[in-house]
Amino acid sequence: MSILVNKNSRVIVQGITGSEGDFHSKQMLEYGTNIVGGVTPGKGGQYAVDEKIRVFDSVEESVDQTNADTSIIFVPPPFAADAIIEASYAGVEIVVCITEGVPLHDMIKVKQVTNKNGTRLIGPNCPGIITVDECKLGIMPGFICKKGSIGVVSKSGTLTYEAIDQLVNVGLGQTTAVGIGGDPIIGTTMRDCLELFEKDPDTEGVVIIGEIGGQMEIEAANWAKDNMSKPIAGFIAGQTAPPGKRMGHAGAIVSGGNDTAEAKMKVLSDCGISVSESVADIGRIMKSLMN
Amino acid sequence: MKIHEYQGKEIFKNHNIPTPNGIPAFSVEEALEAYYSLKSDIVAVKAQIHAGGRGKGGGVKIAKNKDEAEKHIKNIFGMNLITHQTGEEGKKVERLYLEGGVDIKSEFYAAITLDRSKEMDVFMVSTEGGVEIEKVASETPEKIIKIWIDPLVGMKSFQLRKLAKGLGLGGNAFKEACFTFSKMYECYQKTDASILEINPLVITRNDKIIALDSKFNFDSNALFRQKEILGMRDFTEEDEMEIEASNFNLNYIKLDGNVGCMVNGAGLAMATMDIIKLAGGEPANFLDVGGTASAETVKNGFRIILADENVKSILINIFGGIVRCDRVARGVVQSVEELGLNVPVIVRLNGTNAEEAKEILSNSDVSVIAASGMKDAAEKAVKAIKN
């Protein structure tokens, strides 16, 4: 078991003929992801990714023809919202949007649509999901993962890789790693992922990686306090970030009083999560919780 | 992206949000001319800088006659204005806004911004206008009236009425307030703003609504479709190196420490700053070289970091996913040679092609300090300064 995606996921790639879509489709196929089709409006009927994958004009057509249930989006920011909404109305269950730079006002509307249709959206501006040895959906380097019992959920890409690497170094493999993205509005929250990991019989412990800005880590911690039976190790990036400065991610900005790293670390701790002060201790702390 | 008050009021005018008569000026002469053309008994002389708290810092003065106007214009133009938002170094005033006086009956606060938890825009008003709203929010939160806007149907009339009623308005002022609030939301939407704040929004003695100030923040992800807004960008308000970095597609923010760092990914970059601090050092910057770090990116990164004279050592922390570590290593060797680096460089590379990268570094003539793991890297970077 795992969460969100597995070897049975039937994946379409939106924006498959673009350079990003092409490059990462190859990587995903190599990892074993079951890509059943691609979508680029106007290029229906062609074959992409070394002539291996059939391209459709619309998500609806691709779903009709291939029974796809999962989509990954590599389209440029001006068209990303449209792509998500299209996938949602075509009945795709899980939509992962890698695109960085989707306008905020677009995402506010997108979120209403995905909520209404019951679409599980991951991202935007995220590295995607990987269920180890089964399905890689996004841009994460698959080779760093090892199959095991730890779930990982993170707002940041490379920091997720760092955590996975540390887990492997202490002998802990992973079930699924989810990069949820660092934008102010994202599809799937940290709390959503904790709920899924709690229900997954193969996941025995979870690493959560947050950062400054917003209340997502606090909501997740408060939920975990009352509902989570599995141990959680946590880390919050941005202890040295000055207020009012956006640290790369659109959502990583300290604006109020309780969205600092310090405030979040305290709430996590109070809710029973083992918080790592140093990024270098994430693996070690998870290991000690599993013993 | 932020803009000046006078630019915000231009936008207001285009959206039928009433503002006082005003003229921007870019020199003392222009400001004096503006004063005469306003033909108003009372004129406000307002420094135009992006930071808030201008009034308290002495950047906003009221002139009741020509002599006072001249005095204020000459004093404020070119002054180094220090507010709680500019930091100790202050900001030189190079733009003024002259505005005709308004006969104020009462002052309110009105703003629209994103409520991240509710994933909707929130419209807030308060009778406590003109003061710091953060203070009102923490001390008397009941004095802030809020409505959340469903993005699929927009702002509805009952919500406008709730806001206006919450301010205790009646008669013409009530009607005008509802109209102005609807225009504010329209303006917020059409300009892809992430904050639209009017503090104070005033009611005049003859029951007219006027926006006495304007504060905007725009979603930088949406600037591709907001050419007019993009044209309002004032580069003198931004850090020179941050602008240069963005030209190279690097995300750089200058900080006060002396350990420079170059990292791929925003989260890892923040975590690297944090671990430098834990190792007893102070980070000199945030620098995210992004997902496509190449030899060229690394070289530009070095240039940006080294422009900061405080930097005494540089920590490079790359976790290669799409980014190949061997390319980064080549970039490091090339940069150290070409730029004639004289500060110690500590390199930690992990992920795709990390082994090849280590070989490239150890076979080169340049002296870089290899590190394994983030803790080791941070400690070496801090120690290198002390040596």
Side-chain angles (χ1 to χ4, degrees), chain A residues 23-261:
Chain A
F23 176 82
H24 289 291
S25 293
K26 282 177 192 149
Q27 305 275 318
M28 289 188 281
L29 282 173
E30 209 170 285
Y31 194 80
T33 305
N34 183 22
I35 300 181
V36 296
V39 177
T40 298
K43 294 195 176 172
Q46 297 182 12
Y47 281 80
V49 194
D50 301 330
E51 310 286 310
K52 282 187 213 136
I53 306 292
R54 182 162 172 205
V55 183
F56 298 89
D57 280 322
S58 71
V59 179
E60 189 181 17
E61 273 175 60
S62 73
V63 169
D64 280 350
Q65 303 280 320
T66 69
N67 279 324
D69 53 18
T70 304
S71 157
I72 178 141
I73 297 176
F74 288 103
V75 310
F79 317 109
D82 205 69
I84 299 170
I85 293 170
E86 182 184 357
S88 178
Y89 276 106
V92 177
E93 288 162 35
I94 292 177
V95 178
V96 179
C97 183
I98 303 298
T99 312
E100 177 180 356
V102 183
L104 192 60
H105 287 257
D106 290 3
M107 275 313 298
I108 295 175
K109 295 195 183 84
V110 163
K111 199 60 202 284
Q112 296 291 320
V113 173
T114 54
N115 282 348
K116 178 169 80 78
N117 293 347
T119 314
R120 164 76 68 192
L121 171 68
I122 316 281
N125 190 15
C126 75
I129 319 172
I130 192 159
T131 287
V132 183
D133 294 344
E134 293 192 35
C135 180
K136 168 176 129 104
L137 214 57
I139 61 175
M140 292 197 206
F143 73 93
I144 61 168
C145 302
K146 218 183 93 188
K147 199 159 189 66
S149 61
I150 306 298
V152 179
V153 51
S154 166
K155 273 184 173 178
S156 141
T158 44
L159 200 45
T160 313
Y161 315 160
E162 175 70 31
I164 291 172
D165 188 57
Q166 287 183 26
L167 289 172
V168 172
N169 286 341
V170 296
L172 291 173
Q174 305 85 43
T175 47
T176 303
V178 191
I180 57 173
D183 277 0
I185 293 190
I186 55 175
T188 297
T189 64
M190 208 164 254
R191 183 199 137 148
D192 295 336
C193 290
L194 285 184
E195 287 196 54
L196 293 168
F197 279 129
E198 175 68 13
K199 281 187 214 141
D200 173 36
D202 285 349
T203 300
E204 289 166 13
V206 182
V207 172
I208 64 172
I209 297 172
E211 61 191 24
I212 52 167
Q215 297 296 306
M216 190 163 287
E217 296 82 355
I218 290 176
E219 283 158 17
N222 282 323
W223 180 85
K225 189 180 158 194
D226 299 325
N227 301 287
M228 193 92 183
S229 65
K230 300 170 184 180
I232 307 174
F235 175 75
I236 306 286
Q239 295 166 45
T240 49
K245 285 275 187 183
R246 169 180 158 171
M247 291 285 150
H249 293 151
I253 179 164
V254 172
S255 48
N258 55 356
D259 59 354
T260 63

Side-chain angles (χ1 to χ4, degrees), chain B residues 347-385:
Chain B
V347 183
R348 184 271 180 145
L349 300 167
N350 202 350
T352 310
N353 297 357
E355 289 309 314
E356 289 96 316
K358 276 173 201 153
E359 262 173 50
I360 292 168
L361 289 177
S362 60
N363 292 340
S364 77
D365 298 331
V366 304
S367 70
V368 294
I369 303 167
S372 56
M374 285 182 67
K375 184 164 184 270
D376 185 44
E379 282 168 356
K380 281 177 173 160
V382 174
K383 192 165 161 253
I385 290 177

Side-chain angles (χ1 to χ4, degrees), chain B residues 4-6 8-9 12 17-20 46 48 52-54 97 99 110 196-202 210-216:
Chain B
H4 292 291
E5 175 198 357
Y6 76 90
K9 284 181 173 167
F12 281 174
I17 298 165
T19 58
K46 303 168 109 175
Q48 299 294 293
R54 292 171 297 163
Y97 191 52
E99 209 169 54
L196 190 174
E197 185 183 86
I198 304 176
N199 189 19
L201 179 73
V202 304
I210 293 185
L212 224 49
D213 195 9
S214 83
K215 185 180 156 190
F216 275 96

Side-chain angles (χ1 to χ4, degrees), chain B residues 189-217:
Chain B
Q189 286 259 297
K190 287 207 169 140
T191 58
D192 273 302
S194 56
I195 296 173
L196 190 174
E197 185 183 86
I198 304 176
N199 189 19
L201 179 73
V202 304
I203 304 223
T204 63
R205 294 211 184 272
N206 34 20
D207 271 354
K208 293 274 172 204
I209 299 262
I210 293 185
L212 224 49
D213 195 9
S214 83
K215 185 180 156 190
F216 275 96
N217 213 333

Side-chain angles (χ1 to χ4, degrees), chain B residues 253-326:
Chain B
I253 291 163
K254 192 186 171 315
L255 302 168
D256 297 328
N258 53 13
V259 182
C261 50
M262 191 183 326
V263 189
N264 66 328
L268 193 63
M270 277 190 274
T272 305
M273 285 157 46
D274 296 346
I275 202 166
I276 288 169
K277 175 100 175 175
L278 281 175
E282 289 289 340
N285 64 277
F286 166 92
L287 175 58
D288 172 12
V289 296
T292 52
S294 62
E296 195 59 27
T297 329
V298 173
K299 201 158 94 186
N300 291 328
F302 268 118
R303 281 209 195 98
I304 304 276
I305 293 176
L306 288 168
D308 177 357
E309 287 168 2
N310 293 330
V311 170
K312 296 288 182 283
S313 73
I314 298 174
L315 165 52
I316 298 175
N317 183 18
I318 302 290
F319 202 113
I322 318 163
V323 173
R324 287 166 42 192
C325 291
D326 55 324

Side-chain angles (χ1 to χ4, degrees), chain B residues 91-211:
Chain B
K91 177 81 188 71
K92 194 176 176 203
V93 179
E94 287 167 307
R95 299 180 187 198
L96 294 179
Y97 191 52
L98 277 79
E99 209 169 54
V102 174
D103 201 2
I104 300 169
K105 187 160 85 183
S106 42
E107 299 192 354
F108 303 121
Y109 171 91
I112 314 172
T113 189
L114 170 71
D115 181 333
R116 281 173 75 164
S117 297
K118 286 205 160 58
E119 300 179 323
M120 284 187 194
D121 291 312
V122 57
F123 200 132
M124 296 177 279
V125 297
S126 174
T127 50
E128 306 301 293
V131 294
E132 281 172 43
I133 198 68
E134 293 85 357
K135 214 174 150 195
V136 183
S138 68
E139 287 169 11
T140 48
E142 71 281 1
K143 286 189 175 162
I144 299 178
I145 299 120
K146 295 180 181 179
I147 56 114
W148 285 268
I149 303 161
D150 182 333
L152 298 185
V153 296
M155 192 146 141
K156 308 312 288 179
S157 303
F158 77 93
Q159 296 181 306
L160 299 169
R161 292 195 294 270
K162 183 177 172 182
L163 295 175
K165 197 174 174 207
L167 294 176
L169 299 177
N172 188 53
F174 182 92
K175 269 192 222 157
E176 277 207 21
C178 287
F179 178 78
T180 302
F181 294 153
S182 75
K183 290 294 162 189
M184 279 174 70
Y185 180 62
E186 190 184 296
C187 175
Y188 174 84
Q189 286 259 297
K190 287 207 169 140
T191 58
D192 273 302
S194 56
I195 296 173
L196 190 174
E197 185 183 86
I198 304 176
N199 189 19
L201 179 73
V202 304
I203 304 223
T204 63
R205 294 211 184 272
N206 34 20
D207 271 354
K208 293 274 172 204
I209 299 262
I210 293 185

